[in-house]
Amino acid sequence: MPKFSSIINQVLVRAKRRVLNVRRISMEVCLDDKKQMIMMLKRLDRHVTQVFERRTEVSLTRYEILVSLVKKGSVTQKVLQESLAIDQSAITRHLKLLEEQQYVERKRNEKNNREVLVTISDKGRALLEGCTMFNDQFLNDLYDDFSDSELQQLKQFLTRLNHNVEKL
């Protein structure tokens, strides 16, 4: 006949296995939720970009470039690239298109001939003003039915995610 202590041991071992199994399943669900949230953020980003571009007829990146030029004035291409965290070839492509559409002007820096200064044109400012009107309505539509506290909480969560990504 088995000893009472060995029966208790067997029960405890089984209980530990169940707890570990529940933890493993819980972690898998949690990881699946985290993966799903990342995919949701990616889809949201893509969809927001598409809707913005459809409403304003300008890409979100080019919009950011024009806004940056309004804030900073005449700057080098490198300054734009660094402030917007865009790679060199992408900023060159965007600026070329904006220049062809006469939304920006690029000129050599008289003080340093190796640098090219970028400035927003009057046509670019007019485009930006039109985009801003659409942008305001777009943001109101996007955040419809969110309370102020929910928006603050969302902002805090996204700030923490950005901070965590920067640490990687």
Side-chain angles (χ1 to χ4, degrees):
M1 186 159 131
K3 288 185 177 178
F4 183 71
S5 63
S6 73
I7 293 173
I8 295 290
N9 250 353
Q10 289 174 356
V11 169
L12 287 174
V13 167
R14 286 184 193 143
K16 284 180 184 177
R17 283 184 190 149
R18 284 189 197 118
V19 167
L20 290 174
N21 196 31
V22 167
R23 283 184 184 161
R24 184 183 56 77
I25 291 169
S26 176
M27 281 180 48
E28 287 174 5
V29 168
C30 188
L31 281 176
D32 286 345
D33 285 347
K34 289 176 182 177
K35 289 176 187 175
Q36 186 179 13
M37 285 187 283
I38 291 296
M39 297 310 294
M40 289 170 70
L41 286 170
K42 183 174 174 46
R43 281 191 300 273
L44 177 65
D45 174 59
R46 185 177 29 229
H47 194 76
V48 164
T49 299
Q50 290 170 349
V51 171
F52 178 86
E53 290 174 3
R54 194 170 49 245
R55 285 189 179 189
T56 63
E57 297 181 7
V58 66
S59 79
L60 199 48
T61 303
R62 291 187 203 117
Y63 174 83
E64 287 178 299
I65 290 170
L66 294 174
V67 167
S68 184
L69 288 171
V70 165
K71 289 179 181 176
K72 296 177 185 295
S74 187
V75 295
T76 65
Q77 187 168 312
K78 185 163 182 65
V79 167
L80 268 179
Q81 174 204 348
E82 290 171 353
S83 68
L84 297 173
I86 302 174
D87 65 69
Q88 183 63 40
S89 60
I91 194 79
T92 301
R93 268 192 325 274
H94 287 296
L95 288 175
K96 182 178 179 188
L97 283 168
L98 288 169
E99 187 176 35
E100 286 171 0
Q101 296 168 321
Q102 299 175 340
Y103 295 134
V104 299
E105 298 168 353
R106 292 193 288 182
K107 295 180 183 175
R108 288 264 171 224
N109 185 350
E110 293 176 5
K111 296 176 183 172
N112 182 351
N113 206 28
R114 293 175 290 163
E115 291 181 334
V116 175
L117 295 174
V118 184
T119 310
I120 190 169
S121 68
D122 290 339
K123 186 176 177 182
R125 287 180 193 279
L127 173 73
L128 200 55
E129 286 176 27
C131 287
T132 302
M133 287 190 307
F134 281 112
N135 192 18
D136 291 344
Q137 183 59 50
F138 172 74
L139 291 175
N140 288 336
D141 293 345
L142 181 65
Y143 293 113
D144 191 36
D145 295 331
F146 279 84
S147 69
D148 288 343
S149 65
E150 288 173 325
L151 288 173
Q152 280 303 111
Q153 196 173 25
L154 177 61
K155 183 179 178 182
Q156 290 170 350
F157 292 152
L158 293 173
T159 299
R160 282 173 38 202
L161 282 173
N162 275 316
H163 178 71
N164 291 346
V165 156
E166 289 171 1
K167 292 190 302 185
L168 297 178

